[in-house]
């Protein structure tokens, strides 16, 4: 990926967010909020951002396939094509529930895949204007500053602070999560916005995060960002996370030592069942 393309994508995301998200924040009308399913809202902003990004991204890379969260709600078979050459994966408003309720955080997430592997990603916070960019083999950046998530990372489990989602947690994992919660310094619940929480770990503001649902638009962009920052993104059995895989559970950690400490606590909890 060229530097020019990376900058063009970032500029496109900023412009679309300013045009389609900012004016609607805390100004949505009732008819602009719907539910795709119970507890799964979608807003006029989601649709408008996805449409605008599809047009702009395909103009930049015409040979790519576009896979957006809202398009997949209508055509889930698109997910079967993530390994077909170049693919744009877009979450137009990550944290829609927050946005619809008039609160932060929410984000725009874009990933570019080649043959099923994420090669570039962008995560934009429309409220602060922050733009995080990662390129496979080229590092992770926050507004031009290179990230090193492992710098000064703690390794003592009793000092770790993390984020744990209870959403879609398997009943069989509750003892393991209880052991993790008891063994670290602090656990906070997820704010249901991966586009906010991946950056927290990449910036070293949180040591780890644990999710159960692993939809590609929630994780492809952030996984590349964190890995290029020096962190770890993997399944709970220690295997590599791959975009589009359907296994339950994913661990983010700011360093290998943090990931190992979290895995150990989870295994102890599981063994004690």
């Amino acid at each position: 990926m060229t530097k020019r393309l990376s900058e063009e994508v970032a500029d496109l995301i900023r412009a679309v967010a300013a045009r389609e998200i900012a004016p609607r924040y805390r100004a949505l009308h009732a008819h602009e909020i719907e539910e795709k399913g119970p507890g799964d809202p979608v807003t006029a902003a989601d649709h408008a951002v996805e449409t605008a990004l599809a047009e702009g991204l395909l103009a930049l890379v015409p040979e790519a396939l576009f896979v957006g969260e809202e398009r997949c709600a209508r055509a889930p078979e698109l997910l079967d094509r993530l390994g077909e050459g170049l693919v744009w994966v877009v979450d137009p408003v990550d944290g829609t529930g927050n946005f619809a309720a008039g609160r932060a955080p929410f984000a725009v997430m874009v990933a570019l895949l080649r043959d099923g592997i994420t090669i570039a990603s962008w995560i934009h916070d429309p409220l602060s204007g922050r733009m995080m960019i990662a390129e496979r083999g080229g590092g992770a950046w926050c507004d031009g500053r290179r990230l090193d998530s492992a710098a000064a990372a703690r390794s003592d489990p009793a000092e770790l602070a993390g984020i744990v989602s209870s959403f879609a947690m398997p009943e069989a994992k509750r003892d393991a999560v209880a052991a993790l919660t008891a063994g670290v310094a602090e656990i906070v619940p997820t704010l249901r916005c991966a586009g906010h929480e991946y950056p927290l770990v990449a910036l070293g503001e949180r040591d780890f995060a644990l999710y159960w649902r692993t939809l590609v638009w929630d994780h492809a962009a952030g996984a590349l960002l964190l890995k290029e920052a020096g962190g770890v993104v993997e399944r709970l059995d220690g295997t590599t996370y791959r975009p589009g895989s359907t296994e339950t559970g994913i661990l983010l950690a700011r360093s290998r030592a943090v990931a190992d400490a979290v895995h150990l606590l989870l295994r102890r909890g599981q063994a004690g069942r």
Side-chain angles (χ1 to χ4, degrees):
M1 183 186 69
T2 66
K3 183 177 180 180
R4 179 178 176 180
L5 176 60
S6 178
E7 291 174 348
E8 288 177 331
V9 173
D11 288 345
L12 171 67
I13 294 168
R14 290 189 188 99
V16 170
R19 185 175 72 244
E20 305 293 355
I21 295 178
R24 292 182 169 96
Y25 182 49
R26 295 179 174 169
L28 287 168
H29 299 290
H31 71 272
E32 294 180 304
I33 306 172
E34 303 173 352
E35 279 200 342
K36 293 181 287 187
D40 189 9
V42 60
T43 73
D46 294 80
H47 292 301
V49 171
E50 186 163 297
T51 298
L53 287 179
E55 179 180 350
L57 293 172
L58 293 176
L60 293 172
V61 186
E63 66 273 27
L65 173 70
F66 183 88
V67 176
E69 178 179 2
E70 307 316 326
R71 287 194 181 187
C72 285
R74 301 186 300 272
E77 64 273 12
L78 283 170
L79 291 172
D80 297 330
R81 302 181 60 190
L82 292 174
E84 298 181 11
L86 291 169
V87 180
W88 290 111
V89 174
V90 170
D91 191 337
V93 183
D94 182 59
T96 296
N98 298 329
F99 179 75
R103 62 174 182 264
F106 51 88
V108 181
M109 303 177 74
V110 175
L112 180 61
L113 278 56
R114 178 186 289 128
D115 300 329
I117 296 172
T118 310
I119 61 171
S121 70
W122 298 258
I123 301 178
H124 177 53
D125 179 345
L127 293 179
S128 70
R130 183 180 67 192
M131 178 66 73
M132 309 193 88
I133 301 174
E135 182 176 0
R136 182 177 170 83
W141 306 80
C142 176
D143 293 332
R145 174 172 63 90
R146 187 156 191 171
L147 300 179
D148 181 1
S149 66
R154 298 172 285 247
S155 58
D156 181 350
E159 297 180 342
L160 300 181
I163 300 163
V164 174
S165 173
S166 61
F167 181 72
M169 182 192 299
E171 187 63 34
K173 295 295 184 182
R174 294 194 179 276
D175 288 344
V177 171
L180 173 63
T181 300
V184 300
E186 182 184 9
I187 291 288
V188 297
T190 178
L191 296 176
R192 298 288 294 272
C193 180
H196 172 72
E197 292 167 349
Y198 269 97
L200 285 181
V201 180
L203 290 165
E205 296 177 22
R206 287 286 163 182
D207 296 300
F208 66 91
L210 181 61
Y211 302 101
W212 307 103
R213 191 174 73 164
T214 57
L215 298 171
V216 64
W217 43 79
D218 288 333
H219 294 282
L224 181 66
L225 175 81
L226 182 52
K227 287 190 285 188
E228 287 296 326
V232 174
V233 181
E234 60 192 13
R235 296 295 182 177
L236 299 190
D237 62 1
T239 57
T240 300
Y241 161 76
R242 298 184 184 282
S245 58
T246 58
E247 295 93 337
T248 297
I250 189 170
L251 171 67
L252 329 182
R254 61 183 293 202
S255 70
R256 180 73 261 168
V258 170
D260 289 345
V262 172
H263 280 304
L264 179 60
L265 289 169
L266 290 171
R267 286 196 297 271
R268 285 176 178 172
Q270 197 71 33
R273 293 184 77 241

